[in-house]
């Protein structure tokens, strides 16, 4: 069984990273350019994700660039990387959309939403647009994080899972505070 048995292009996936999870969009196909030779090649199992200068998300800036995707680990912003650089050997799951309120309220925060998502090709196009334009803004743990990025790609609107219930920014704080209490 390959990874393609578990994830489909356009899926929103998240990997456990200790105290919180890291979110990304699996885009299925990508090409990367080797900065040393300038040669372009296909990247297997590519994901697009968003992070700040946080070692939990990006790894150490001193880490050598990945030999598959050339990710430099310390780069903030929207990045295209191989699955390994995203997953870092941790468990990963698929984020669920269109769940019922009962499911939403009884499931761990940051794993599902009642919102509907768009078709995979739309989702992938949005992720690539954010990557190419680098216009998702500055990373903020509370207001503009990796989950906001992935949900924005999926639905066209950045959201924390609580924001789906109409709490907006206040909900984002409640969500993160609630998670922090369980750490
Ligand atoms: Zn990599």
């Amino acid at each position: 069984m390959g990874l393609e048995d578990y994830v489909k292009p356009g899926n929103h996936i998240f990997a456990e990273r200790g105290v919180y999870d890291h979110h990304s969009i699996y885009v299925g196909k990508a090409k990367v350019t080797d900065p040393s030779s300038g040669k372009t090649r296909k990247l297997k199992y590519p994901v697009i994700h968003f992070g700040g200068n946080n070692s939990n998300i990006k790894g150490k800036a001193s880490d050598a660039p990945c030999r598959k995707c050339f990710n430099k680990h310390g780069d903030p912003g929207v990045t295209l990387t191989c699955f390994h650089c995203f997953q870092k050997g941790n468990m990963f799951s698929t984020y669920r959309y269109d769940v019922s309120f009962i499911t939403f309220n009884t499931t761990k925060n940051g794993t599902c939403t009642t919102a509907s998502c768009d078709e995979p090709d739309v989702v992938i196009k949005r992720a690539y647009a954010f990557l190419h334009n680098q216009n998702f803004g500055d990373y903020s743990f509370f207001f503009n994080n990796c989950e906001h990025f992935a949900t924005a790609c999926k639905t066209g609107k950045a959201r924390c899972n609580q924001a789906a219930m109409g709490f907006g920014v206040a909900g984002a704080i409640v969500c993160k505070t609630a998670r922090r209490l369980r750490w």
Side-chain angles (χ1 to χ4, degrees):
M1 297 253 289
L3 192 62
E4 55 271 22
D5 295 312
Y6 298 97
V7 290
K8 302 288 173 230
N11 274 177
H12 170 175
I13 48 177
F14 59 97
E16 293 172 12
R17 289 276 180 92
V19 290
Y20 55 90
D21 302 331
H22 188 45
H23 296 249
S24 76
I25 299 294
Y26 175 62
V27 293
K29 276 187 216 163
K31 280 181 184 163
V32 286
T33 305
D34 182 341
S36 59
S37 68
K39 278 187 187 156
T40 299
R41 68 169 188 233
K42 271 188 196 167
L43 177 66
K44 210 175 180 190
Y45 306 134
V47 294
I48 293 178
H49 41 129
F50 176 65
N53 279 320
N54 181 312
S55 60
N56 247 331
I57 293 172
K58 301 298 291 180
K60 295 187 199 73
S62 56
D63 289 349
C66 174
R67 280 190 285 178
K68 279 187 202 154
C69 68
F70 310 111
N71 169 37
K72 293 208 292 288
H73 305 288
D75 291 345
V78 180
T79 50
L80 171 78
T81 74
C82 68
F83 206 87
H84 179 78
C85 282
F86 158 73
Q87 189 189 4
K88 295 196 174 166
N90 297 303
M91 296 284 291
F92 76 92
S93 316
T94 306
Y95 198 96
R96 291 183 296 154
Y97 286 79
D98 265 325
V99 301
S100 70
F101 273 98
I102 293 171
T103 302
F104 178 72
N105 284 320
T106 54
T107 308
K108 187 186 167 210
N109 279 341
T111 61
C112 63
T113 176
T114 54
S116 301
C117 61
D118 293 312
E119 294 296 318
D121 57 334
V122 175
V123 173
I124 293 165
K125 263 186 206 153
R126 280 194 193 118
Y128 269 108
F130 284 132
L131 176 73
H132 291 140
N133 300 323
Q134 286 297 319
N135 59 353
F136 198 70
D138 292 329
Y139 183 86
S140 158
F141 183 77
F142 290 111
F143 303 114
N144 204 35
N145 63 33
C146 52
E147 184 181 350
H148 288 105
F149 173 77
T151 54
C153 293
K154 289 290 279 187
T155 68
K157 182 172 181 280
R159 63 185 84 223
C160 161
N161 56 9
Q162 297 276 328
M165 295 175 75
F167 290 113
V169 170
I173 297 168
V174 171
C175 156
K176 294 300 175 189
T177 308
R179 291 182 77 176
R180 181 169 283 176
L181 289 174
R182 290 211 297 265
W183 293 355

